[in-house]
């Protein structure tokens, strides 16, 4: 048996995986550096201008929209922090009253400490955040300049009689110094390979230090649980009222009418058989319609396909009922807890409804998968090719989705530039059964 060959193959496979993982970290860090610099500068300038215009009235209208964009930007960073480095940054925003007028909404947001933490984070993100994101990318990319110099690029900068280029602290003036630059590049590359994931995590830890509440982890946890419990109780009460109203106005009314028809049939069965048969047919139709309404009501409480076949098939069934083309990609090797499945199902349903009713989309893509990393995470993304402009807050349906996910420590992020496309990403920490 060729055990040495097997070991060499395993080593090559392990080395290949490590190379791909480090390259992915470098690409992510570079993208994050660009986004941190550009996004933070733009949002910071827009926020300052909008708040300055509040006294003249214009800012009353624009500030909630700008702050919603800042919140979406911060929530997106929360998502990638959990996904790329396992750093969880729980949101702690105060819910905005659904029926608040623009004045009340503006000052409610300006009075939220979490909003001010977002605003303080923007200058940090465009400076220290940019540097901590760029550093791992630089450690992985900068060495290739040294290799290129050693391969002959040095001749572009000098004829060998003077120093024509500096690589780090190495003055490049000929082939020998170019080889020294390559040696420095090799050392930097080794350092980058072993430190890039840690440095990227440092960026997210810096983000958490600013975005996370300063009340202490336990106090913040108690506050979040109190708010999510209140939201869950309010949602449950509203759902019970909806069920009672649907039963009273729908199935109950039909059953009462059917009972009256049966009483009339009993009185006419001998006197007017023809009329009795007509009423009997009407009672049969009423019973069928009442049964249909009861089934729809049960489906709205907990769809049978969700209970029987799980979240993946339930989302596929939901997509089949969409009036526009919807593609679904599901990767769930097991079942989730029933409460999580229910919350995720109705959250997806709400996002799809928004896409159909408000986005003017022609196609929707749904991705549902679970990763075991960091204790288990359910990730759902819904993307549409609509007009964009979706935001969290201001009484939108996405606020309800955020509250629903918050009960399970879930996070919602929205990327929806004007003109589209819109991507809504949801993450819920959970384990497969």
């Amino acid at each position: 048996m060729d055990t040495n060959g097997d070991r060499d193959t395993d080593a090559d496979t392990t080395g290949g995986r490590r190379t791909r993982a480090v390259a992915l970290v470098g690409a992510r860090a570079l993208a994050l550096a660009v986004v941190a610099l550009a996004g933070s500068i733009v949002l910071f300038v827009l926020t300052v201008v909008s708040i300055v215009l509040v006294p003249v009235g214009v800012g009353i209208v624009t500030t909630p929209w700008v702050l919603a964009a800042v919140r979406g930007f911060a929530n997106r960073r929360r998502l990638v922090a959990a996904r790329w480095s396992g750093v969880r940054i729980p949101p702690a925003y105060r819910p905005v009253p659904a029926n608040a007028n623009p004045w009340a909404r503006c000052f409610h947001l300006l009075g939220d400490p979490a909003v001010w933490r977002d605003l303080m984070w923007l200058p940090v993100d465009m400076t220290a955040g940019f540097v901590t994101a760029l550093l791992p990318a630089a450690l992985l990319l900068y060495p290739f300049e040294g290799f290129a110099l050693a391969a002959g690029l040095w001749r572009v900068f000098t004829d060998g009689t003077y120093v024509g280029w500096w690589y780090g602290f190495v003055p490049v003036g000929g082939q020998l110094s170019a080889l020294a630059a390559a040696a420095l590049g090799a050392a930097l590359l080794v350092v980058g390979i072993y430190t890039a994931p840690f440095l990227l995590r440092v960026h997210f830890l810096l983000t958490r230090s600013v975005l996370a509440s300063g009340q202490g982890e336990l106090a913040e946890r108690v506050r979040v649980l109190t708010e999510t419990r209140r939201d869950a109780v309010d949602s449950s009460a509203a759902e019970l009222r909806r069920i009672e109203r649907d039963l009273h106005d729908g199935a109950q009314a039909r059953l009462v009418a059917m009972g009256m028809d049966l009483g009339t049939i009993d009185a006419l069965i001998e006197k007017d058989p023809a009329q009795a048969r007509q009423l009997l047919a009407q009672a049969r139709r009423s019973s069928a319609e009442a049964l249909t309404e009861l089934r729809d009501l049960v489906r709205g409480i907990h769809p049978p396909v969700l209970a029987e076949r799980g979240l993946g098939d339930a989302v596929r069934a939901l997509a089949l009922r969409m009036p526009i083309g919807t593609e679904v990609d599901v990767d769930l090797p097991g079942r989730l807890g029933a409460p999580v499945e229910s919350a995720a199902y109705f959250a997806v349903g709400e996002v799809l409804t928004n896409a159909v009713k408000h986005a003017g989309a022609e196609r929707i893509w749904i991705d549902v998968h679970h990763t075991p990393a960091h204790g288990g995470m359910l990730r759902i993304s819904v993307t549409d090719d609509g007009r964009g402009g979706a935001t969290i807050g201001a009484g939108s349906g996405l606020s309800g989705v955020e509250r629903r996910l918050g009960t399970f420590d879930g996070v919602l992020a929205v990327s929806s530039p004007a003109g589209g496309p819109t991507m809504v990403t949801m993450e819920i920490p959970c384990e497969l059964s």
Side-chain angles (χ1 to χ4, degrees):
M1 180 180 238
D2 189 4
T3 55
N4 289 331
D6 292 341
R7 281 196 294 269
D8 290 342
T9 302
D10 292 342
D12 291 342
T13 303
T14 302
R17 285 198 300 266
R18 183 173 186 83
T19 300
R20 288 192 296 270
V22 171
L24 181 60
V25 169
R28 286 173 169 175
L30 184 60
L32 197 59
V34 174
V35 171
L37 184 63
S40 296
I41 290 176
V42 170
L43 289 173
F44 184 75
V45 171
L46 288 176
T47 303
V48 171
V49 171
S50 184
I51 292 177
V52 168
L53 293 176
V54 167
V56 298
V58 177
I60 297 295
V61 178
T62 61
T63 298
W65 292 98
V66 173
L67 294 180
V70 174
R71 180 173 176 174
F73 186 66
N75 279 339
R76 186 66 187 173
R77 192 64 58 86
R78 288 182 173 96
L79 276 179
V80 297
R83 182 178 299 175
W84 294 353
S85 295
V87 177
R88 292 197 56 79
I89 311 172
Y93 301 102
R94 295 175 180 174
V96 180
N99 299 321
N101 57 44
W103 180 275
R105 184 178 298 115
C106 176
F107 284 96
H108 177 91
L109 290 171
L110 291 177
D112 188 348
V115 171
W116 285 103
R117 285 196 296 271
D118 287 352
L119 299 183
M120 289 187 293
W121 167 68
L122 291 177
V124 174
D125 194 46
M126 71 178 72
T127 53
F130 170 74
V131 172
T132 54
L134 185 63
L135 184 58
L139 286 174
L140 295 174
L141 296 176
Y142 188 53
F144 291 95
E145 181 185 334
F147 301 153
L149 289 169
L153 184 65
W154 65 272
R155 292 185 176 89
V156 175
F157 305 107
T158 178
D159 59 2
T161 61
Y162 62 93
V163 174
W165 190 258
W166 283 82
Y167 178 77
F169 55 81
V170 177
V172 179
Q175 184 63 53
L176 186 62
S177 56
L179 291 174
L184 176 60
L188 291 175
L189 184 60
V190 171
V191 172
I193 289 173
Y194 285 97
T195 62
F198 169 76
L199 293 174
L200 185 61
R201 183 178 174 84
V202 168
H203 169 85
F204 293 122
L205 292 175
L206 172 67
T207 301
R208 185 174 67 179
S209 69
V210 181
L211 288 181
S213 172
Q215 299 177 10
E217 185 175 351
L218 181 58
E220 177 64 15
R221 181 64 176 160
V222 170
R223 190 196 65 78
V224 171
L225 286 176
T226 301
E227 288 190 358
T228 54
R229 183 186 64 182
R230 183 177 63 249
D231 291 338
V233 170
D234 292 343
S235 298
S236 298
E239 186 69 9
L240 287 174
R241 288 193 297 270
R242 182 189 70 82
I243 294 171
E244 181 181 6
R245 184 179 63 253
D246 290 348
L247 283 173
H248 182 272
D249 297 340
Q252 178 177 317
R254 294 190 184 279
L255 291 173
V256 169
M258 187 174 64
M260 296 174 62
D261 288 342
L262 290 174
T264 306
I265 291 169
D266 185 53
L268 295 175
I269 193 68
E270 295 181 357
K271 298 179 181 179
D272 191 350
Q275 181 68 19
R277 280 194 297 271
Q278 291 179 3
L279 291 175
L280 187 60
Q282 181 178 330
R284 188 181 296 113
R285 287 193 301 271
S286 295
S287 67
E289 291 172 354
L291 182 60
T292 300
E293 291 184 353
L294 286 173
R295 285 174 177 168
D296 291 340
L297 184 62
V298 170
R299 188 178 294 111
I301 299 171
H302 194 77
V305 66
L306 182 62
E308 296 170 3
R309 305 184 62 178
L311 179 62
D313 286 338
V315 171
R316 290 190 183 98
L318 194 61
L320 289 175
R321 296 200 295 269
M322 289 293 104
I324 59 178
T326 304
E327 297 180 15
V328 181
D329 182 18
V330 176
D331 181 15
L332 295 176
R335 289 291 299 268
L336 304 165
V340 173
E341 283 189 336
S342 180
Y345 173 84
F346 287 108
V348 171
E350 179 67 29
V351 173
L352 291 177
T353 300
N354 283 351
V356 172
K357 295 174 68 174
H358 305 299
E362 297 181 356
R363 196 150 195 86
I364 300 176
W365 296 266
I366 307 173
D367 179 74
V368 182
H369 67 279
H370 183 275
T371 58
H374 315 306
M377 185 75 69
L378 172 67
R379 294 191 176 111
I380 304 173
S381 64
V382 180
T383 307
D384 67 69
D385 59 357
R387 64 177 64 94
T391 59
I392 302 174
S396 70
L398 293 176
S399 299
V401 174
E402 186 178 46
R403 289 194 298 271
R404 186 187 293 273
L405 299 181
T407 307
F408 301 91
D409 287 342
V411 178
L412 174 72
V414 179
S415 174
S416 184
T422 295
M423 173 181 283
V424 178
T425 307
M426 296 166 274
E427 289 195 349
I428 304 176
C430 60
E431 296 180 354
L432 293 175
S433 58

